[in-house]
């Protein structure tokens, strides 16, 4: 790497020399009037068509960017990450940080380390002292976390709790305090949110079954909106709908009073007819039963009379038979 840098510097000087030999008037003009360099762009004070900026305007840093096989000079207000700026009366340059530094303030003070190194007192180290632990996320040597913490900051502020605990304001809790509720997804104690509702609206017109006439009693309703829905453990919302009983102003609907009255009369007449038919059918059934009962009783009487007549004839027959005398004579007279 150092050999390539030396080669680049030699090539740069040779190119500058060649450029001066080919265009002596342009370089002479830049040296005589550096602020009027027409071919330069950005904050360049002097420049080359092949290598870009050669020097910068005051307070700017010159930085070499690689462009294929060559490097181009650019002028920047601050050095990019991985470089630090050094100022001198002649020029301000961007110098690369140490290999283990990702960003630095100067060559002896690192601000952030590369992966695999940990920052401690401005130095990037592969391991931390005994009283500290390595933080891969911060790439720093940090104090050991409290027993409930899985990760913490330098000031013992927890950033992640151990499984089963909830984080709140840098502390880990087994149970969230009052007015807070557990968030099992984030494993944090979140502030409870209670339901909030707006004002009641106006009462609706008195109606029943969607009609404002034709009945004596109806209902009025009113509603209000939910302004804030509650969280899982927040207070539930109060009722947002209510009703009350009311008296309809118009008992009869326009043009429907006679019709409804006629309908009621027709229904009453139909009920009466059905009742009469049922009564008539019941009477016929009763009369039929009576006739059947009468025929049964007449048959019983006729049978009884026949039996009596038969018995009487049998008895008269017995009385006519002659009686024989015990002495062998003829029948008694």
């Amino acid at each position: 790497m150092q050999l390539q840098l030396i080669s680049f510097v030699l090539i740069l000087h040779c190119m500058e020399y060649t450029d001066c030999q080919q265009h002596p008037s342009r370089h002479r003009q830049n040296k005589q009037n550096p602020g009027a360099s027409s071919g330069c762009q950005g904050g360049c004070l002097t420049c080359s068509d092949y290598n870009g900026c050669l020097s910068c305007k005051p307070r700017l840093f010159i930085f070499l960017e690689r462009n294929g096989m060559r490097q181009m000079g650019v002028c920047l207000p601050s050095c990019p990450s991985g470089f630090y700026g050094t100022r001198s009366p002649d020029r301000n340059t961007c110098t690369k940080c140490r290999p283990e530094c990702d960003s630095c303030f100067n060559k002896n003070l690192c601000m952030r380390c590369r992966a695999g190194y940990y920052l401690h007192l401005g130095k990037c180290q592969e391991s931390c002292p005994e009283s500290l632990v390595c933080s891969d996320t911060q790439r720093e040597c940090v104090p050991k976390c409290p027993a409930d913490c899985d990760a913490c900051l330098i000031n013992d502020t927890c950033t992640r709790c151990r499984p089963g605990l909830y984080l709140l304001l840098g502390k880990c809790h087994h149970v969230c305090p009052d007015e807070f509720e557990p968030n099992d997804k984030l494993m944090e104690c979140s502030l409870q949110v209670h339901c909030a509702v707006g004002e009641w609206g106006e009462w609706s017109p008195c109606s029943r079954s969607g009609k404002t006439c034709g009945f004596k009693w109806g209902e009025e309703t009113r509603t209000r909106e939910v302004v804030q829905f509650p969280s899982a453990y927040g207070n539930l919302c109060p009722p947002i709908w209510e009703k009350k009983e009311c008296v309809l102003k118009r008992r009869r609907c326009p043009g429907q009073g006679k019709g409804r009255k006629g309908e009621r009369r027709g229904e009453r007449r139909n009920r009466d007819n059905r009742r009469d038919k049922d009564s008539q059918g019941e009477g016929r059934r009763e009369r039929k039963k009576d006739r059947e009962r009468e025929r049964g009783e007449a048959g019983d009487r006729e049978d009884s009379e026949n039996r009596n007549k038969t018995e009487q004839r049998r008895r008269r027959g017995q009385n006519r038979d002659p009686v024989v005398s015990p002495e062998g004579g003829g029948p008694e007279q």
Side-chain angles (χ1 to χ4, degrees):
M1 183 67 183
Q2 293 180 354
L3 182 60
Q4 292 179 354
L5 184 60
I6 295 173
S7 301
F8 170 76
V9 173
L10 293 176
I11 293 173
L12 182 61
H13 284 293
C14 292
M15 292 177 65
E16 288 181 7
Y17 175 79
T18 304
D19 190 75
C20 291
Q21 293 293 329
Q22 294 178 355
H23 307 283
S25 60
R26 185 176 64 185
H27 282 270
R28 191 181 304 112
Q29 181 180 1
N30 290 340
K31 290 182 179 180
Q32 293 176 356
N33 190 7
S37 52
S38 59
C40 299
Q41 296 179 357
C44 294
L45 186 63
T46 58
C47 59
S48 168
D49 293 338
Y50 187 82
N51 296 106
C53 295
L54 301 176
S55 62
C56 299
K57 294 181 179 179
R59 304 190 63 82
L60 298 181
F61 295 91
I62 187 168
F63 177 70
L64 299 179
E65 289 183 340
R66 181 173 294 278
N67 185 7
M69 297 300 296
R70 61 176 180 169
Q71 289 182 327
M72 298 289 293
V74 294
C75 295
L76 304 173
S78 61
C79 294
S81 178
F83 294 82
Y84 66 93
T86 56
R87 297 183 182 274
S88 65
D90 297 333
R91 62 189 300 176
N92 302 327
T93 58
C94 290
T95 306
K96 190 172 181 61
C97 298
R98 299 175 68 89
E100 64 272 14
C101 289
D102 195 18
S103 62
C104 58
F105 183 76
N106 54 42
K107 67 177 182 178
N108 296 320
L109 183 60
C110 289
M111 305 298 293
R112 179 175 174 81
C113 300
R114 296 188 182 276
Y117 291 87
Y118 305 96
L119 183 65
H120 179 60
L121 300 179
K123 304 291 184 181
C124 291
Q125 304 175 356
E126 295 183 358
S127 61
C128 295
E130 294 183 359
S131 59
L132 303 176
V133 294
C134 301
S135 173
D136 292 327
T137 56
Q138 303 178 39
R139 298 180 186 177
E140 296 179 4
C141 295
V142 298
K144 294 182 179 179
C145 297
D148 294 338
C149 291
D150 198 16
C152 60
L153 299 177
I154 297 177
N155 56 355
D156 295 340
T157 301
C158 292
T159 57
R160 187 176 64 252
C161 297
R162 294 192 180 277
L165 302 181
Y166 300 94
L167 181 66
L168 176 63
L169 301 176
K171 303 294 182 182
C172 295
H173 300 266
H174 292 272
V175 179
C176 293
D178 294 339
E179 298 301 324
F180 290 88
E181 62 184 44
N183 187 327
D184 294 330
K185 184 177 181 180
L186 301 177
M187 295 306 296
E188 296 178 352
C189 292
S190 303
L191 185 65
Q192 287 184 357
V193 178
H194 303 297
C195 180
V197 296
E199 298 293 334
W200 284 107
E202 297 293 335
W203 286 101
S204 66
C206 187
S207 63
R208 180 177 176 182
S209 300
K211 296 181 180 180
T212 57
C213 60
F215 302 96
K216 181 179 179 180
W217 297 97
E219 291 180 349
E220 292 180 353
T221 60
R222 66 175 181 175
T223 59
R224 56 183 174 180
E225 294 183 355
V226 177
V227 179
Q228 176 65 58
F229 288 94
S231 58
Y233 292 83
N235 294 335
L236 300 178
C237 295
I240 59 174
W241 177 87
E242 64 179 6
K243 66 178 181 178
K244 66 178 182 179
E245 196 174 38
C246 59
V247 178
L248 291 174
K249 296 181 179 180
R250 306 182 67 175
R251 296 286 299 276
R252 295 182 179 179
C253 296
Q256 296 181 357
K258 296 181 179 180
R260 288 190 59 84
K261 187 174 182 181
E263 291 177 0
R264 289 196 293 270
R265 287 179 180 175
E267 293 176 358
R268 191 180 303 113
R269 189 180 300 112
N270 292 334
R271 287 196 299 270
D272 295 340
N273 293 336
R274 287 194 297 269
R275 192 179 301 111
D276 293 341
K277 290 181 180 179
D278 294 340
S279 300
Q280 293 175 3
E282 185 67 23
R284 282 195 292 271
R285 286 192 294 271
E286 291 293 335
R287 288 193 295 272
K288 184 178 180 180
K289 289 180 180 179
D290 293 340
R291 287 194 298 269
E292 291 177 352
R293 192 181 305 111
E294 291 175 356
R295 284 197 294 269
E297 292 177 355
D300 293 340
R301 285 195 300 270
E302 185 177 356
D303 292 341
S304 178
E305 291 176 356
N306 292 333
R307 284 195 299 271
N308 292 334
K309 291 178 180 180
T310 303
E311 183 66 23
Q312 290 175 2
R313 285 194 297 268
R314 186 180 63 80
R315 288 178 181 178
R316 284 196 299 267
Q318 290 177 355
N319 293 333
R320 292 194 192 100
D321 292 339
V323 177
V324 179
S325 174
E327 295 180 353
E332 293 183 354
Q333 297 297 321

